[in-house]
Amino acid sequence: MNTYIRRAMLGTFAGLVSSAVLVLALGNSVLGVVLGTTVGLAYGLGVGPRSGGYFDGGMTAAALGVALWAMVSVILVPLASGEEPYWTTEGMRLTFPALVGWVLYGATLGFVARAMCDFGPTFLRPVPELPTPIPARTRIVILGGGFGGVTTALHLEQVFGADPSVALTLVSETNALLFTPMLAEVAGGSLEAAHISCPLRTSLRRTTVIRGQVTGIDLEQRRIRLSPGARVPLPPSDTGKFAEELAYDHLVLALGAVPSYVGMSDVQAQAIEFKSLADAIRIRSQVIDMFERADSEPDSGVRRSMLTFVIAGGGFAGAELAGSLNDYGRGMLAYYPNIPTDEVKVVLVHSRERILPELSGPLADYALRQMAARGVTFKLNTRVRGARDGVVLLQPEEELRTHTLVWTAGTAPHPLLQALALARDRRGGVIVDPTLAVPGQEGVWGLGDCAAVPHGSGVIPVRRPRSLQSAKRPCSRVTSTPGSEGCR
Ligand SMILES: Cc1cc2nc3c(=O)[nH]c(=O)nc-3n(C[C@H](O)[C@H](O)[C@H](O)COP(=O)(O)OP(=O)(O)OC[C@H]3O[C@@H](n4cnc5c(N)ncnc54)[C@H](O)[C@@H]3O)c2cc1C
């Protein structure tokens, strides 16, 4: 039954019962019943009686009786009979019995209304208010704030909307998404760092972002360990407290890859990596430093070694960097009059017969021809086999004299994953099925450079995992890019 109809009926009935007191006090049965019932109706609608608390209910309504006495017996009744309101002492004394009557009526009304909530017919009783159930929270934790992790978080935000039963958390070493395809432009001075990085917190509106380094993953206990200093906010009840561990129900592995030197520690010691903004800025500074030193160097052999920039690896990262540094270096020549043009050399060393293996043959060949025409030197079917101060050793046998070696030739899935009891492919990538689920590990998912993703149709309908199916919002389709190399 509608709440207000129920309250109106309850108030009317309580008013009718209580009007017996009013009839006695006013000495007018019609007036007493009409007034008593009407006030009861208004009381029921306005106050909404609750069960229990009879004394409180009675006293509150008795106070109401005083106001009704002043309004009805002191003002309205005399006015209705053509007299002045009984403001005087004499008038008050005359209406004192009515005051007692109204107060008793109010107390009875409050008492009866409460009693009816407890003992009246069922349809008059208020529906008991159930405590709001706290929804069981499903905790989805995404490790990695790169293309894989951020895209996952954005899609999950869309799928679950404001659903309070799902908590999304993303852990990343950096607090910004780096647009790696343009990292070469930062190294080559045509873009600044801020142009290619987007703060995670501005694009992820309902995901808790934790900046910190993941140091351990416990698949048994379903917990993530973070480096000291990483702060995981605790629930509001623990305001101001932080933890360094994170529990999950679903875990998304998107930690990407790290440079791999396949055991060549001498190369690792000499090389600059090219994965982060710091790497790109370091490379730019190195190029500028080499030009400055070469400008005042009288020995042309030493100058050449300073102005030779070797990049190992002809994938996206290496090819983009070679093109960018070549343009940068040749553009700088205008400001270094002591440096002959032919002494600047950007060398791309690549172990296969064509660069950019991710592209089609004709497109990769076109890229190579364009870059060669602009002055990039290519050494195909060639490997870096070692390095020492000022020299890079190649296979087939050759020595390049240089002070700058950038390594983009090999990556391996994140080393943290090696410690997990999960099936991995030859590269070390965690094997996942076409839905990105790790087979045999309920609630563990993987994607991007740290995963081995089977090639599929390109669009995979994603359903909520069974453990999330109680959540209200219908699930939408999200796209997934197949291929183990991450976003292309
Ligand atoms: C210079 C460069 C240029 C590229 N150009 C292209 C291109 O043109 N086209 C293309 O398709 N691909 C390109 N790529 C490859 C592309 O960037 C990757 O395939 C893609 O970034 C993979 O996404 P991911 O999410 O798996 O890993 P990443 O984007 O590398 O993200 C991994 C994330 O995990 C975080 N992380 C790592 N370890 C930890 C830890 N212990 N704790 C917390 N967080 C951690 C990292 O900070 C990072 O945010 C390029 C790569 C580079 C380096």
Coordinates of all heavy atoms in Angstrom, one line a residue, residues 143-150 171-174 176-184 200 210 212-215 226 253-258 274-276 316-318 320-321 358 408 414 416 447-451 484-488, ligand 1:
L143 N 47.8 -4.4 -13.3 CA 49.2 -4.0 -13.0 C 49.8 -3.5 -14.3 O 49.9 -4.2 -15.3 CB 50.0 -5.3 -12.6 CG 49.5 -6.0 -11.3 CD1 50.4 -7.1 -11.0 CD2 49.3 -5.0 -10.2
G144 N 50.2 -2.2 -14.3 CA 50.9 -1.6 -15.5 C 50.0 -0.5 -16.0 O 48.8 -0.6 -16.3
G145 N 50.6 0.7 -16.2 CA 49.9 1.9 -16.7 C 50.3 2.2 -18.1 O 50.4 3.4 -18.5
G146 N 50.6 1.2 -18.9 CA 50.9 1.4 -20.3 C 49.7 1.2 -21.2 O 48.6 1.3 -20.7
F147 N 49.9 1.0 -22.5 CA 48.8 0.9 -23.4 C 47.8 -0.2 -22.9 O 46.6 0.0 -22.9 CB 49.2 0.6 -24.8 CG 49.8 1.8 -25.5 CD1 51.1 1.7 -26.0 CD2 49.0 2.9 -25.7 CE1 51.6 2.8 -26.7 CE2 49.6 4.0 -26.3 CZ 50.8 4.0 -26.8
G148 N 48.3 -1.4 -22.6 CA 47.5 -2.5 -22.2 C 46.7 -2.2 -20.9 O 45.5 -2.4 -20.9
G149 N 47.4 -1.8 -19.9 CA 46.7 -1.5 -18.6 C 45.7 -0.4 -18.7 O 44.5 -0.6 -18.2
V150 N 46.0 0.7 -19.3 CA 45.1 1.8 -19.3 C 43.9 1.5 -20.2 O 42.8 1.9 -19.9 CB 45.9 3.1 -19.8 CG1 44.9 4.2 -20.1 CG2 46.9 3.5 -18.8
V171 N 47.8 -0.1 -10.8 CA 49.1 0.2 -10.2 C 50.2 0.4 -11.3 O 50.3 -0.4 -12.2 CB 49.6 -1.0 -9.3 CG1 50.9 -0.7 -8.6 CG2 48.6 -1.5 -8.4
S172 N 50.9 1.5 -11.2 CA 51.9 1.8 -12.2 C 53.1 2.5 -11.6 O 52.9 3.3 -10.7 CB 51.3 2.6 -13.3 OG 52.3 2.9 -14.3
E173 N 54.2 2.2 -12.1 CA 55.4 2.9 -11.7 C 55.4 4.4 -12.0 O 55.9 5.2 -11.3 CB 56.7 2.4 -12.4 CG 57.3 1.1 -11.9 CD 58.3 0.6 -12.8 OE1 58.4 0.9 -14.0 OE2 59.2 -0.2 -12.3
T174 N 54.8 4.7 -13.1 CA 54.7 6.1 -13.5 C 53.2 6.6 -13.4 O 52.3 5.7 -13.5 CB 55.2 6.3 -15.0 OG1 54.3 5.5 -15.8 CG2 56.6 5.9 -15.2
A176 N 51.7 8.5 -15.6 CA 51.2 9.0 -16.9 C 51.4 7.9 -17.9 O 52.3 7.1 -17.8 CB 52.0 10.3 -17.3
L177 N 50.4 8.0 -18.9 CA 50.5 7.0 -20.0 C 51.4 7.6 -21.0 O 51.3 8.8 -21.4 CB 49.1 6.8 -20.6 CG 49.1 6.1 -21.9 CD1 49.5 4.6 -21.7 CD2 47.7 6.1 -22.5
L178 N 52.4 6.9 -21.4 CA 53.4 7.4 -22.4 C 53.1 6.9 -23.8 O 52.9 5.7 -24.0 CB 54.8 6.8 -22.0 CG 56.0 7.2 -22.8 CD1 56.2 8.7 -22.8 CD2 57.3 6.5 -22.4
F179 N 53.0 7.8 -24.7 CA 52.7 7.5 -26.1 C 54.1 7.1 -26.8 O 54.7 8.0 -27.4 CB 52.0 8.6 -26.8 CG 51.5 8.2 -28.1 CD1 50.4 7.4 -28.2 CD2 52.1 8.6 -29.3 CE1 49.9 6.9 -29.5 CE2 51.6 8.2 -30.6 CZ 50.5 7.4 -30.6
T180 N 54.5 5.9 -26.6 CA 55.8 5.4 -27.1 C 56.1 5.7 -28.6 O 57.2 6.0 -28.9 CB 56.0 3.9 -26.7 OG1 54.9 3.2 -27.2 CG2 56.2 3.7 -25.3
P181 N 55.0 5.5 -29.5 CA 55.4 5.7 -30.9 C 55.9 7.1 -31.2 O 56.5 7.3 -32.2 CB 54.0 5.6 -31.6 CG 53.3 4.6 -30.7 CD 53.7 5.0 -29.3
M182 N 55.8 8.1 -30.3 CA 56.4 9.4 -30.5 C 57.6 9.7 -29.6 O 58.0 10.8 -29.5 CB 55.3 10.5 -30.4 CG 54.3 10.3 -31.5 SD 53.2 11.7 -31.7 CE 53.9 12.3 -33.2
L183 N 58.0 8.7 -28.9 CA 59.2 8.9 -28.0 C 60.4 9.3 -28.8 O 61.2 10.1 -28.3 CB 59.5 7.6 -27.3 CG 60.3 7.6 -26.0 CD1 59.7 8.6 -25.0 CD2 60.5 6.2 -25.4
A184 N 60.5 8.8 -30.0 CA 61.7 9.2 -30.9 C 61.7 10.7 -31.1 O 62.7 11.3 -31.2 CB 61.6 8.4 -32.2
L200 N 47.5 9.7 -15.8 CA 46.5 8.6 -15.7 C 45.3 9.1 -14.9 O 44.2 8.7 -15.3 CB 47.1 7.4 -14.8 CG 48.4 6.7 -15.5 CD1 48.9 5.7 -14.5 CD2 48.0 6.1 -16.8
I210 N 47.3 3.8 -8.2 CA 48.3 3.8 -7.2 C 49.7 3.9 -7.9 O 50.0 3.0 -8.8 CB 48.2 2.5 -6.4 CG1 46.9 2.5 -5.6 CG2 49.4 2.3 -5.5 CD1 46.7 1.2 -4.9
G212 N 53.3 3.2 -7.9 CA 54.2 2.4 -7.1 C 54.7 1.2 -7.9 O 54.2 0.9 -9.0
Q213 N 55.8 0.6 -7.3 CA 56.4 -0.5 -8.1 C 55.9 -1.8 -7.5 O 55.9 -2.0 -6.3 CB 57.9 -0.4 -7.9 CG 58.6 -1.2 -9.0 CD 60.1 -1.2 -8.8 OE1 60.6 -1.1 -7.7 NE2 60.8 -1.4 -9.9
V214 N 55.4 -2.7 -8.4 CA 55.0 -4.0 -8.0 C 56.3 -4.8 -7.7 O 57.2 -4.9 -8.6 CB 54.2 -4.7 -9.1 CG1 53.8 -6.1 -8.6 CG2 52.9 -3.9 -9.4
T215 N 56.4 -5.4 -6.5 CA 57.6 -6.2 -6.2 C 57.3 -7.7 -6.1 O 58.2 -8.5 -6.1 CB 58.3 -5.7 -4.9 OG1 57.3 -5.7 -3.9 CG2 58.8 -4.3 -5.1
L226 N 53.8 -4.3 -3.0 CA 54.3 -3.1 -3.6 C 55.6 -2.6 -2.9 O 55.8 -3.0 -1.7 CB 53.3 -1.9 -3.5 CG 51.9 -2.2 -4.1 CD1 51.0 -1.1 -4.0 CD2 52.1 -2.6 -5.6
L253 N 47.4 -8.7 -15.8 CA 48.9 -8.5 -15.9 C 49.1 -7.7 -17.2 O 48.9 -8.2 -18.3 CB 49.6 -9.9 -16.0 CG 49.3 -10.8 -14.9 CD1 49.8 -12.2 -15.2 CD2 50.0 -10.3 -13.6
A254 N 49.6 -6.5 -17.0 CA 49.9 -5.6 -18.2 C 51.2 -4.9 -17.9 O 51.3 -3.7 -18.0 CB 48.8 -4.7 -18.4
L255 N 52.2 -5.6 -17.4 CA 53.5 -5.0 -17.0 C 54.5 -4.7 -18.1 O 55.6 -4.2 -17.9 CB 54.2 -5.9 -15.9 CG 53.5 -5.9 -14.6 CD1 54.0 -6.9 -13.7 CD2 53.6 -4.5 -13.9
G256 N 54.1 -5.1 -19.4 CA 54.9 -4.8 -20.5 C 56.2 -5.6 -20.5 O 56.3 -6.7 -20.0
A257 N 57.2 -5.1 -21.2 CA 58.5 -5.8 -21.4 C 59.7 -4.9 -20.9 O 59.5 -3.7 -20.7 CB 58.6 -6.2 -22.8
V258 N 60.8 -5.6 -20.8 CA 62.0 -4.8 -20.4 C 63.1 -5.2 -21.4 O 63.0 -6.2 -22.1 CB 62.5 -5.3 -19.0 CG1 61.5 -4.9 -17.9 CG2 62.8 -6.8 -19.0
F274 N 65.9 2.6 -24.5 CA 65.0 3.5 -25.1 C 63.5 3.1 -24.9 O 62.9 2.4 -25.7 CB 65.3 3.6 -26.6 CG 64.5 4.6 -27.3 CD1 64.3 5.9 -26.8 CD2 63.9 4.4 -28.6 CE1 63.6 6.9 -27.5 CE2 63.2 5.3 -29.2 CZ 63.0 6.6 -28.7
K275 N 63.1 3.3 -23.6 CA 61.7 2.9 -23.3 C 60.9 4.0 -22.6 O 59.7 4.0 -22.7 CB 61.8 1.7 -22.3 CG 61.8 0.4 -23.0 CD 61.1 -0.8 -22.3 CE 59.6 -0.6 -22.2 NZ 58.7 -1.2 -23.2
S276 N 61.7 4.8 -21.9 CA 61.0 5.8 -21.1 C 61.3 7.2 -21.5 O 62.2 7.5 -22.3 CB 61.4 5.6 -19.6 OG 62.8 6.0 -19.5
F316 N 60.0 -1.0 -34.5 CA 59.4 0.3 -34.4 C 60.3 1.3 -33.7 O 60.6 2.4 -34.2 CB 58.1 0.3 -33.7 CG 56.9 -0.2 -34.6 CD1 56.2 -1.3 -34.3 CD2 56.6 0.6 -35.7 CE1 55.2 -1.7 -35.1 CE2 55.5 0.2 -36.5 CZ 54.8 -0.9 -36.2
A317 N 60.7 0.9 -32.5 CA 61.5 1.8 -31.6 C 62.8 2.2 -32.3 O 63.1 3.4 -32.4 CB 61.8 1.2 -30.3
G318 N 63.6 1.2 -32.8 CA 64.9 1.6 -33.4 C 64.7 2.4 -34.7 O 65.4 3.3 -34.9
E320 N 62.2 4.2 -35.7 CA 61.7 5.6 -35.5 C 62.8 6.5 -34.9 O 63.0 7.6 -35.3 CB 60.5 5.6 -34.5 CG 59.2 5.1 -35.1 CD 58.2 4.5 -34.2 OE1 58.4 4.6 -32.9 OE2 57.2 4.0 -34.6
L321 N 63.6 5.9 -34.0 CA 64.7 6.7 -33.4 C 65.8 7.0 -34.4 O 66.3 8.2 -34.5 CB 65.3 5.9 -32.2 CG 66.4 6.6 -31.5 CD1 65.9 7.9 -30.8 CD2 67.1 5.7 -30.5
E358 N 57.0 -5.8 -38.3 CA 55.6 -5.8 -38.1 C 54.8 -5.2 -39.3 O 53.6 -5.4 -39.4 CB 55.3 -4.8 -36.9 CG 55.9 -5.3 -35.5 CD 57.3 -4.8 -35.3 OE1 57.9 -4.2 -36.2 OE2 57.8 -5.0 -34.2
T408 N 67.7 -1.2 -28.8 CA 66.2 -1.5 -28.9 C 66.1 -2.9 -29.5 O 65.0 -3.3 -30.0 CB 65.5 -0.5 -29.8 OG1 65.9 -0.7 -31.2 CG2 65.8 0.9 -29.5
H414 N 58.2 -8.8 -18.7 CA 58.6 -8.3 -17.4 C 59.1 -9.5 -16.5 O 58.5 -10.5 -16.4 CB 57.4 -7.6 -16.7 CG 57.9 -6.7 -15.6 ND1 58.3 -7.2 -14.4 CD2 58.0 -5.4 -15.6 CE1 58.7 -6.1 -13.7 NE2 58.5 -5.0 -14.4
L416 N 59.2 -10.0 -13.4 CA 58.3 -10.4 -12.2 C 57.5 -11.6 -12.6 O 57.2 -12.4 -11.7 CB 57.4 -9.2 -11.9 CG 57.7 -8.3 -10.7 CD1 56.6 -7.3 -10.5 CD2 57.9 -9.1 -9.5
L447 N 47.8 -9.3 -21.0 CA 47.8 -8.7 -22.3 C 49.0 -7.8 -22.5 O 49.7 -7.6 -21.6 CB 46.5 -7.9 -22.6 CG 46.4 -6.5 -22.0 CD1 45.2 -5.8 -22.6 CD2 46.1 -6.6 -20.5
G448 N 49.2 -7.4 -23.8 CA 50.3 -6.5 -24.1 C 51.6 -7.3 -24.2 O 51.6 -8.5 -24.5
D449 N 52.7 -6.6 -24.0 CA 54.0 -7.1 -24.3 C 54.4 -8.2 -23.3 O 55.4 -8.9 -23.5 CB 55.0 -6.0 -24.2 CG 55.0 -5.1 -25.5 OD1 54.2 -5.4 -26.4 OD2 55.8 -4.2 -25.5
C450 N 53.7 -8.3 -22.2 CA 54.1 -9.3 -21.2 C 53.3 -10.6 -21.4 O 53.5 -11.6 -20.7 CB 53.9 -8.8 -19.8 SG 52.1 -8.7 -19.2
A451 N 52.4 -10.7 -22.4 CA 51.6 -11.8 -22.6 C 51.8 -12.4 -24.0 O 52.3 -11.8 -24.9 CB 50.1 -11.5 -22.5
S484 N 50.8 -10.7 -30.1 CA 51.5 -10.7 -28.8 C 52.3 -9.4 -28.7 O 52.9 -9.2 -27.7 CB 52.4 -11.9 -28.7 OG 53.2 -11.9 -29.8
E485 N 52.3 -8.5 -29.7 CA 53.2 -7.4 -29.6 C 52.5 -6.2 -29.0 O 53.0 -5.1 -29.1 CB 53.7 -7.0 -31.0 CG 54.4 -8.2 -31.7 CD 55.6 -8.7 -30.9 OE1 56.4 -7.8 -30.6 OE2 55.8 -9.9 -30.7
G486 N 51.3 -6.3 -28.5 CA 50.6 -5.2 -27.9 C 49.9 -4.3 -28.9 O 49.6 -4.8 -30.0
C487 N 49.8 -3.0 -28.6 CA 49.0 -2.1 -29.5 C 49.8 -1.7 -30.7 O 50.9 -1.3 -30.7 CB 48.7 -0.9 -28.6 SG 48.2 0.5 -29.5
R488 N 49.2 -1.9 -31.9 CA 49.8 -1.4 -33.1 C 49.0 -0.4 -33.8 O 47.8 -0.5 -33.8 CB 49.9 -2.6 -34.1 CG 50.8 -3.7 -33.5 CD 52.3 -3.5 -33.9 NE 53.1 -4.4 -33.1 CZ 53.9 -4.0 -32.1 NH1 53.9 -2.8 -31.7 NH2 54.6 -4.9 -31.5
Ligands
LIG1 C1 60.3 3.8 -28.4 C2 59.1 2.9 -28.7 C3 58.4 3.1 -29.8 C4 57.4 2.2 -30.2 N1 56.7 2.4 -31.3 C5 55.6 1.7 -31.5 C6 54.8 1.9 -32.7 O1 55.0 2.8 -33.4 N2 53.7 1.1 -32.9 C7 53.4 0.1 -32.0 O2 52.5 -0.6 -32.2 N3 54.2 -0.2 -31.0 C8 55.2 0.6 -30.7 N4 56.0 0.3 -29.6 C9 55.7 -0.8 -28.8 C10 54.5 -0.5 -27.8 O3 54.9 0.7 -27.1 C11 54.3 -1.6 -26.9 O4 54.0 -2.7 -27.6 C12 53.2 -1.3 -25.9 O5 53.6 -0.2 -25.1 C13 52.9 -2.5 -25.0 O6 52.0 -2.1 -24.1 P1 52.0 -2.8 -22.6 O7 50.9 -2.2 -21.9 O8 52.1 -4.2 -22.7 O9 53.4 -2.3 -22.0 P2 53.9 -0.9 -21.7 O10 53.2 0.1 -22.5 O11 55.3 -0.9 -21.7 O12 53.4 -0.6 -20.2 C14 53.9 -1.3 -19.1 C15 53.6 -0.5 -17.9 O13 53.9 -1.2 -16.7 C16 54.6 -0.4 -15.8 N5 55.4 -1.2 -15.0 C17 56.5 -2.0 -15.4 N6 57.0 -2.6 -14.3 C18 56.3 -2.2 -13.2 C19 56.3 -2.5 -11.9 N7 57.2 -3.4 -11.3 N8 55.4 -2.0 -11.0 C20 54.5 -1.1 -11.5 N9 54.4 -0.8 -12.8 C21 55.3 -1.3 -13.7 C22 55.4 0.6 -16.7 O14 55.7 1.8 -16.0 C23 54.3 0.8 -17.8 O15 53.5 1.8 -17.4 C24 57.0 1.1 -29.3 C25 57.8 0.9 -28.1 C26 58.8 1.8 -27.8 C27 59.6 1.6 -26.6

